[in-house]
Amino acid sequence: MIIRRKPVWELPESSITPARFVLGRRKLVAGALAMGPLSALGAARAAHYDPGRPITPEHDATTYNNYYEFSDDKNIWQAAQALPQAPWSIKFDGLVEKPQTWALEDLLKQVTLEDRAYRHRCVEAWAMTVPWRGFPLSRLVALARPLASAKYVQFQTITNNDAMPGLANPVYPFPYTEAVTIEEAANILPFIATGLYGKPLPPQNGGPIRLVLPWKYGFKSAKALVRVSFTEKRPETFWRDLNPNEYGFWANVNPDVPHPRWSQAHERLLGSGEIVPTRIYNGYGDQVAQLYAGLQNEMLFR
Ligand SMILES: Nc1nc2c(c(=O)[nH]1)N[C@H]1C(S)=C(S)[C@@H](COP(=O)(O)O)O[C@H]1N2
Ligand SMILES: [Mo]
């Protein structure tokens, strides 16, 4: 039996399904919040949802990072401080009504920030639970105004050769890109983060703006976004380009589908070091499993 549970972060607007990316959604959300008991709390609602695990200590989440533009080492947080966080702009292009480039501060005037604590599961079998601040990806897509022909949303990371020494490594197909389907982008879970632990998103975690897809392996959550493109064809993505046998397009978390070189059954929590069982869709199946109905012939879990 499938029991429908409340979305994991228990915000009132989560009952609104953004089936269409319309700008009116912002008003709807504002209206729903105004009626709800949390309206006065604004962006400081972190306590109102329960990721079901302790929040990872901030020190661990901000000093143990994957960011190959800097290095394939986890210890990049100091080097990442060299990446200028402003001025920052984001380009929307491809199958859109009109290509646009937004200054980040102008884009942020168009959104309502909220806090969401999400579990994050790296494909390497470590995990963290962090309080992001940001806004739904569906809102960003609405601002980009895609055409009806757009089937995929592609995300591209900055390439700053002065600040990012890892870009010189010819092994990797930079720029780092990732993508989701337009249906995935319309789901309530995907998030665009601009903050972490109530602070601006630090450069090592993808500041000033990144993607967060909590039901997928962490590599899908591209950092330091400078371009969002809409396409009809499935775009190539960084890790899949590097090794399509090990890293696919869908990359949904599943403990029963091992990586070719290791098990995905368990994960190690940053901070405590505790080893806990991994859950299908990283425990977010109630929100996202229906996105994959009829796609069982695809490599959904790698
Ligand atoms: N641009 C870019 N984005 C990236 C990566 C990267 O190397 N470059 N690594 C990914 C991987 S593998 C993970 S697990 C997460 C790590 O995010 P964190 O460092 O904030 O924990 O970022 C993802 N986004
Ligand atoms: Mo990862």
Side-chain angles (χ1 to χ4, degrees):
M1 187 168 94
I2 296 167
I3 299 166
R4 176 84 201 156
R5 279 179 305 162
K6 268 205 218 166
V8 281
W9 64 90
E10 304 201 285
L11 290 178
E13 78 264 38
S14 59
S15 58
I16 298 165
T17 304
R20 287 278 171 272
F21 297 102
V22 288
L23 290 169
R25 175 168 149 73
R26 190 174 177 223
K27 282 209 184 88
L28 284 173
V29 170
L33 282 174
M35 288 179 279
L38 305 177
S39 58
L41 297 173
R45 294 184 306 228
H48 289 273
Y49 36 90
D50 179 12
R53 280 182 189 172
I55 297 290
T56 300
E58 180 180 348
H59 173 80
D60 296 288
T62 56
T63 59
Y64 182 92
N65 300 100
N66 270 333
Y67 209 158
Y68 281 67
E69 289 87 337
F70 290 96
S71 167
D72 52 16
D73 190 280
K74 300 283 185 278
N75 185 19
I76 56 86
W77 72 270
Q78 282 152 314
Q81 307 311 309
L83 181 67
Q85 304 287 286
W88 195 274
S89 59
I90 301 193
K91 183 159 80 178
F92 298 144
D93 66 2
L95 299 174
V96 291
E97 283 175 27
K98 185 163 83 61
Q100 310 173 55
T101 299
W102 284 78
L104 181 56
E105 67 263 28
D106 294 334
L107 186 79
L108 294 182
K109 286 178 194 148
Q110 302 296 317
V111 306
T112 305
L113 296 180
E114 57 184 278
D115 287 339
R116 292 188 189 183
Y118 276 159
R119 296 179 297 277
H120 172 102
R121 173 52 157 89
C122 176
V123 74
E124 300 162 333
W126 57 267
M128 61 180 183
T129 305
V130 295
W132 304 103
R133 177 164 293 171
F135 57 96
L137 171 60
S138 59
R139 176 74 189 146
L140 183 128
V141 172
L143 292 167
R145 300 209 305 269
L147 300 174
S149 53
K151 294 196 169 59
Y152 295 90
V153 191
Q154 184 184 33
F155 303 88
Q156 187 177 315
T157 296
I158 197 168
T159 52
N160 181 324
N161 291 300
D162 295 332
M164 299 170 134
L167 291 174
N169 187 340
V171 168
Y172 297 108
F174 294 115
Y176 197 102
T177 57
E178 260 309 334
V180 296
T181 65
I182 200 96
E183 291 81 16
E184 289 178 316
N187 186 268
I188 56 173
L189 283 184
F191 203 57
I192 298 289
T194 57
L196 192 56
Y197 296 92
K199 300 170 185 167
L201 190 62
Q204 64 270 32
N205 294 96
I209 182 165
R210 77 174 291 173
L211 180 63
V212 180
L213 303 168
W215 73 102
K216 293 179 178 284
Y217 289 116
F219 67 83
K220 296 287 298 182
S221 295
K223 296 178 169 182
L225 304 178
V226 291
R227 184 176 175 192
V228 180
S229 306
F230 295 83
T231 67
E232 192 158 6
K233 266 185 51 193
R234 187 178 295 180
E236 191 53 282
T237 49
F238 178 87
W239 287 103
R240 193 178 170 283
D241 191 7
L242 190 69
N243 190 340
N245 183 43
E246 298 195 351
Y247 310 101
F249 169 77
W250 299 100
N252 297 309
V253 173
N254 188 337
D256 298 326
V257 179
H259 183 278
R261 291 183 281 131
W262 59 82
S263 163
Q264 293 293 24
H266 293 88
E267 60 205 56
R268 172 179 57 89
L269 304 185
L270 289 193
S272 71
E274 199 186 333
I275 307 287
V276 299
T278 289
R279 289 193 279 160
I280 189 160
Y281 297 112
N282 200 23
Y284 295 102
D286 284 355
Q287 282 76 32
V288 298
Q290 81 285 353
L291 288 167
Y292 308 104
L295 293 176
Q296 52 282 344
N297 293 330
E298 299 265 329
M299 194 174 84
L300 288 176
F301 301 109
R302 194 179 277 172

